[in-house]
């Protein structure tokens, strides 16, 4: 049995926006959908799903399409780059006062 992933509504909106941005990038570059699909090694139907922001398409296919759009795949390096919450949590842990180790007294 195939396991399905539950996508939260806000995440679905983000995927849809990402798909729209990918489509707009393709249109601005005036690259036909068939050519992007061929360059990415995917079907035209999969490209259509990506441009709709489908959660069922692998991230690898998204990356291949971004690469086919003249190297936009490097933008994937920006994902979670500035982890604001993680840094705050880390700083809180660093600010926790810790006792200095007890010194051994000389006899």
């Amino acid at each position: 049995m195939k396991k399905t992933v539950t996508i939260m509504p806000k995440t679905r909106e983000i995927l849809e926006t990402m798909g729209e941005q990918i489509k707009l990038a393709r249109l601005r570059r005036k690259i036909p959908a068939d050519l992007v699909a061929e360059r990415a090694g995917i079907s035209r139907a999969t490209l259509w799903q990506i441009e709709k922001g489908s959660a069922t398409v692998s991230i690898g296919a998204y990356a291949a399409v971004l690469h086919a759009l003249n190297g936009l795949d490097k933008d994937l390096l920006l994902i979670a780059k500035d982890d604001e919450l993680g840094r705050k949590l880390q700083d809180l842990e660093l600010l926790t006062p810790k006792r200095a180790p007890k010194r051994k007294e000389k006899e």
Side-chain angles (χ1 to χ4, degrees):
M1 187 166 85
K2 191 172 184 179
K3 185 177 179 183
T4 58
V5 177
T6 303
I7 303 295
M8 301 306 289
K10 205 64 161 154
T11 303
R12 189 170 306 283
E13 287 177 28
I14 290 169
L15 286 171
E16 289 170 1
T17 299
M18 189 169 76
E20 183 66 20
Q21 290 170 341
I22 289 170
K23 182 178 182 177
L24 290 172
R26 177 179 63 77
L27 294 173
R28 281 197 288 290
R29 287 165 174 73
K30 297 182 167 116
I31 304 174
D34 291 340
L35 182 57
V36 172
E38 182 182 326
R39 285 180 182 176
I42 60 173
S43 69
R44 173 63 186 96
T46 300
L47 177 60
W48 181 80
Q49 288 294 315
I50 288 171
E51 290 183 350
K52 294 287 184 193
S54 173
T56 62
V57 178
S58 75
I59 193 166
Y62 275 89
V65 168
L66 289 169
H67 182 75
L69 293 172
N70 301 321
L72 288 178
D73 53 330
K74 66 182 174 287
D75 289 351
L76 291 171
L77 293 173
L78 300 176
I79 296 172
K81 181 179 178 189
D82 188 22
D83 180 12
E84 194 173 321
L85 175 62
R87 290 187 193 279
K88 286 180 181 178
L89 293 170
Q90 185 179 38
D91 289 348
L92 284 173
E93 188 175 296
L94 294 174
L95 296 176
T96 304
K98 296 196 170 133
R99 292 182 62 173
K102 290 185 179 181
R103 293 191 315 187
K104 288 187 179 183
E105 292 185 30
K106 291 184 180 178
E107 294 179 20

